[in-house]
Amino acid sequence: MRHRPVLSRRRYRPARLWLALLGSFLMVLGLTSTAAYGRTAAPGEADAAAEQVLTWTAGDPIDHYLSAPKTAVAGKATIVFENSAATGNTTGMPHTLTFSVSDPEFNNDVTLNILANPGDDQGGKHTAEVTLTPGRYFYHCTMPGHEAMQGILTVTDGGGGEDTTAPGTSAKVDGDKNADGAYIGQATVTVSATDDGSGVDTVEYAVGADGAWQPYTAPVVVDEVGPHTIRYRATDKAGNAAAEKSVDFAVAAPPTDDKTPPETSATVSGEKDDQGRYLGMATVTVTASDTGSGVNTIEYAVGADGAWQPYTAPVMVHETGTHTVRY
């Protein structure tokens, strides 16, 4: 039979006195002894704790943000964008932090377009309150010449649990085709990957059946005449790997007797007011097609006298007023 030890009164009373003195001391300091053991959050505290602060910084470079978050959790968030002397801006150059709402590949439920420079009324540091949903947000700088300042913010649902589902992947081939279905001059392969759990970590592609895998960072342009295979795959942040997929196509040599110019068009997108004016920003997308020798170059110019420059992505105009984009 086991016996519980009995504390003598001589040993027990000092221990109880010590605990009482310790409790009094903690109260004097403004502390509570429950902090040492944990407690249940009061109503509303969990929501407040779930809110997050996401910070972007910029400085003199026009090809990248100095810092930017890569991941976030769905829910309320405070966006901080600072482009100031404190973050390394020595020239007073302005930058923007803009969330794209025109690309169907990314979330479009957050309208954010912050212009910051060291000389503005906020000293270059601005904040905005947003609500993020699971998926991916594409952000970039809309200042002319700053197009390389861009990135992707991946938002998870924050619901807990282990992600065991691999990313979903797809690929599409674009270009002008001849009557046989071959792409004239060149073909452009765009690979997409999505993951609603932990988020996409890597996307890779390989040219041909035996080509080496390499990071996918931009659409792959293939201009060699003949049949081609592009393989692609992706993994998420939980380590789940999507099965390898491939897309097959052929590239044909452009005809030498093509005397017909390409066909071109442009569309403008963005949120409008009741008078048809675009709010904050308008996005101009230019397209060109040519069933003869294929499209070689696309150019655009802003304004009646603006210089022609290569068109590589939709043109975003955020300056207030009336605008003309030539192409």
Side-chain angles (χ1 to χ4, degrees):
M1 179 180 296
R2 299 180 62 186
H3 298 275
R4 295 178 59 189
V6 178
L7 296 175
S8 68
R9 291 188 177 185
R10 181 175 299 176
R11 296 180 61 190
Y12 174 72
R13 285 178 177 174
R16 183 170 57 184
L17 178 61
W18 164 246
L19 289 175
L21 290 174
L22 176 61
S24 300
F25 180 67
L26 290 173
M27 291 178 66
V28 170
L29 291 179
L31 305 175
T32 60
S33 58
T34 55
Y37 301 98
R39 60 184 175 82
T40 302
E45 282 191 347
D47 292 340
E51 294 184 10
Q52 57 202 314
V53 178
L54 305 174
T55 302
W56 280 257
T57 61
D60 290 341
I62 63 173
D63 60 350
H64 66 280
Y65 292 94
L66 297 182
S67 67
K70 293 183 177 180
T71 60
V73 177
K76 295 181 179 180
T78 299
I79 302 293
V80 178
F81 178 43
E82 184 171 1
N83 175 36
S84 66
T87 58
N89 190 318
T90 64
T91 64
M93 179 180 297
H95 297 291
T96 74
L97 174 63
T98 304
F99 277 33
S100 174
V101 295
S102 60
D103 191 333
E105 182 180 347
F106 300 98
N107 291 8
N108 58 10
D109 57 342
V110 173
T111 302
L112 184 71
N113 186 32
I114 303 175
L115 174 65
N117 66 76
D120 63 31
D121 58 0
Q122 300 295 319
K125 185 175 183 178
H126 299 257
T127 62
E129 303 298 324
V130 301
T131 299
L132 303 173
T133 56
R136 300 189 303 160
Y137 292 86
F138 176 72
Y139 62 84
H140 57 100
C141 179
T142 61
M143 299 299 295
H146 298 196
E147 291 82 3
M149 296 179 63
Q150 57 181 246
I152 296 174
L153 175 68
T154 300
V155 179
T156 58
D157 60 14
E162 183 179 356
D163 177 13
T164 59
T165 303
T169 58
S170 62
K172 66 175 182 176
V173 185
D174 294 311
D176 298 316
K177 293 183 179 181
N178 61 19
D180 297 326
Y183 292 88
I184 303 169
Q186 66 178 32
T188 301
V189 182
T190 303
V191 178
S192 301
T194 59
D195 190 276
D196 295 331
S198 57
V200 175
D201 186 26
T202 63
V203 181
E204 297 176 300
Y205 77 98
V207 179
D210 302 319
W213 290 102
Q214 49 192 310
Y216 175 86
T217 58
V220 181
V221 178
V222 181
D223 55 14
E224 183 180 350
V225 174
H228 297 278
T229 297
I230 297 294
R231 296 177 291 130
Y232 57 95
R233 65 187 184 185
T235 60
D236 64 17
K237 291 181 171 56
N240 301 303
E244 176 186 316
K245 296 180 181 179
S246 64
V247 59
D248 300 318
F249 57 93
V251 175
T256 59
D257 58 349
D258 177 18
K259 297 182 180 179
T260 303
E263 295 182 0
T264 59
S265 63
T267 59
V268 185
S269 60
E271 184 181 357
K272 294 182 179 181
D273 63 15
D274 55 4
Q275 299 182 35
R277 299 173 299 188
Y278 292 93
L279 298 172
M281 181 179 66
T283 301
V284 181
T285 302
V286 179
T287 57
S289 61
D290 189 278
T291 57
S293 58
V295 175
N296 184 33
T297 61
I298 305 176
E299 295 178 302
Y300 77 98
V302 179
D305 301 320
W308 289 102
Q309 49 190 313
Y311 175 87
T312 58
V315 180
M316 298 179 182
V317 181
H318 56 77
E319 183 179 352
T320 301
T322 302
H323 300 277
T324 298
V325 173
R326 296 176 291 131
Y327 57 93

